[in-house]
Amino acid sequence: MKALVTGGAGFIGSHLVDALMESGNEVRVLDDLSAGSLDNIKRWLNHERFEFIKGDMRDPGVVKRAVEGVDVVFHLAANPEVRIGSQSPELLYETNVLITYNLLNAVRDSSAEYLVFTSSSTVYGDAEVIPTPEDYAPLEPISVYGGAKLAAEALISGYAHTFGFKALIFRLANIIGERSNHGVIYDFINKLRRNPEELEILGDGTQRKSYLHVSDTVEGMLKIFKHFRESEKTVDFYNLGNDDWITVREIAEIVSEEMGLRPRFRFTGGVDGGRGWKGDVKFMRLSIEKAKKTGWKPELDSYGAVRRTVKELLRTI
């Protein structure tokens, strides 16, 4: 299989590249390195089955060249910062919706048979059913980021049904692990390094969400993709997350413990009833029953994933 991974030098993308290369596939990466790093994929840079293209997906010509000759496109390129939506919605549009539109036009005119897209749990908004299944409706994102992901999903579905390729869409919980360079654990570590005596925590600390380690994420993506290829579906949706969830306060306690610190916790109080920021989904846990029916299940629960990630990041950042 010849695969294109957009955002392949980023956090999740680089772990996916590792798995694809280790399985003997040909891999091409398209990344502008705005959020990713060549260090994440340096082991493959001179490999005969690997190709790296530095390019901005807002340029349709760049995208068209990257898609040429591939069998499957794993579309992970995106601005990963949910919070930026309230300050720069136009940037989230460009780096989530526009680049997906450019990619779909390139796929339409190519030999690619499959598109795999990493969407987000944020498309569900404040779901009234928890754990939230894939067929939950109506989808009502409460952030511009969630809206952009949902818009990309809709475009992908429309293009796949119209132009004859198959599309697999993953709605991801909070994905954590080595090489991540944003998010609550990353922020807590850096805050405590600056001030070991006090830790600022956005919101009221009761926000509760599901976390999945990147190793379980990539394994799930590839196992479910294999299952999807053998199905009759044109477009299909799968949640990837965990059966449990963890509060922000509990994450702060694990980070402090692993760093050997006992800081004071200072909660900002947050907005809209204790959320960390405008558009923050306060409670999120996805149903993963559909994914588990394919034979996948996460090795680490949310607590295990958080603790492993803290250890990984303390070694590397």
Side-chain angles (χ1 to χ4, degrees):
M1 179 170 78
K2 185 165 186 175
L4 168 66
V5 182
T6 72
F11 165 43
I12 303 174
S14 63
H15 287 279
L16 177 62
V17 167
D18 288 346
L20 290 169
M21 288 295 293
E22 288 163 2
S23 299
N25 300 288
E26 291 183 60
V27 178
R28 177 183 295 155
V29 165
L30 173 60
D31 202 305
D32 66 1
L33 301 180
S34 59
S37 168
L38 282 179
D39 285 344
N40 291 338
I41 53 172
K42 62 184 177 184
R43 62 187 284 207
W44 307 117
L45 288 176
N46 296 314
H47 198 286
E48 61 183 7
R49 286 188 282 106
F50 183 81
E51 179 185 2
F52 175 73
I53 299 173
K54 183 180 179 184
D56 189 332
M57 292 184 68
R58 289 173 288 192
D59 181 342
V62 168
V63 181
K64 185 175 177 62
R65 289 192 296 274
V67 168
E68 287 176 0
V70 302
D71 306 304
V72 55
V73 177
F74 292 91
H75 180 32
L76 284 77
N79 189 314
E81 281 290 353
V82 179
R83 279 178 278 183
I84 201 173
S86 59
Q87 294 120 36
S88 183
E90 63 279 0
L91 180 61
L92 275 184
Y93 166 76
E94 289 179 7
T95 55
N96 285 277
V97 184
L98 178 61
I99 66 170
T100 301
Y101 171 74
N102 288 342
L103 178 64
L104 288 168
N105 282 327
V107 169
R108 177 188 68 179
D109 298 328
S110 76
S111 59
E113 298 178 68
Y114 305 98
L115 174 67
V116 181
F117 175 57
T118 49
S119 185
S120 165
S121 62
T122 57
V123 301
Y124 295 114
D126 284 328
E128 294 181 2
V129 177
I130 294 178
T132 312
E134 288 86 351
D135 60 359
Y136 176 82
L139 298 178
E140 187 182 345
I142 64 168
S143 64
V144 177
Y145 177 86
K149 284 293 190 182
L150 186 56
E153 285 189 12
L155 280 173
I156 289 167
S157 179
Y159 268 70
H161 283 287
T162 303
F163 298 110
F165 59 90
K166 296 181 66 170
L168 176 60
I169 295 171
F170 290 108
R171 291 172 176 162
L172 303 181
N174 288 1
I175 310 304
I176 55 176
E178 189 175 357
R179 302 178 195 162
S180 58
N181 58 9
H182 73 285
V184 64
I185 299 173
Y186 184 88
D187 289 346
F188 282 174
I189 289 173
N190 285 322
K191 285 178 177 179
L192 285 171
R193 283 178 170 166
R194 289 193 297 269
N195 181 5
E197 303 298 319
E198 181 179 89
L199 177 60
E200 178 195 63
I201 300 174
L202 302 181
D204 63 10
T206 66
Q207 306 99 301
R208 184 182 293 271
K209 303 180 187 184
S210 180
Y211 288 78
L212 184 67
H213 194 269
V214 67
S215 58
D216 283 326
T217 308
V218 168
E219 181 188 356
M221 288 176 64
L222 292 177
K223 185 180 285 282
I224 294 168
F225 175 56
K226 182 179 180 182
H227 175 83
F228 173 69
R229 290 173 70 182
E230 297 164 358
S231 77
E232 299 298 318
K233 290 269 195 176
T234 299
V235 178
D236 211 352
F237 299 81
Y238 282 85
N239 291 334
L240 283 182
N242 239 311
D243 283 317
D244 67 336
W245 48 358
I246 184 172
T247 67
V248 171
R249 185 187 185 101
E250 288 171 320
I251 293 173
E253 290 168 350
I254 292 173
V255 174
S256 301
E257 180 185 326
E258 290 293 333
M259 295 180 73
L261 301 173
R262 299 185 66 181
R264 296 182 303 275
F265 291 165
R266 180 170 60 83
F267 299 96
T268 66
V271 299
D272 297 342
R275 303 171 192 270
W277 56 87
K278 193 77 174 174
D280 178 29
V281 176
K282 193 171 184 185
F283 302 110
M284 180 275 292
R285 181 158 60 99
L286 303 178
S287 169
I288 57 171
E289 294 308 307
K290 183 176 178 181
K292 289 198 289 189
K293 287 178 181 175
T294 69
W296 170 83
K297 66 176 182 179
E299 286 191 18
L300 295 171
D301 64 9
S302 292
Y303 290 85
V306 167
R307 193 169 292 278
R308 176 171 163 182
T309 297
V310 175
K311 292 177 187 291
E312 289 171 340
L313 294 185
L314 286 174
R315 288 198 306 267
T316 57
I317 65 171

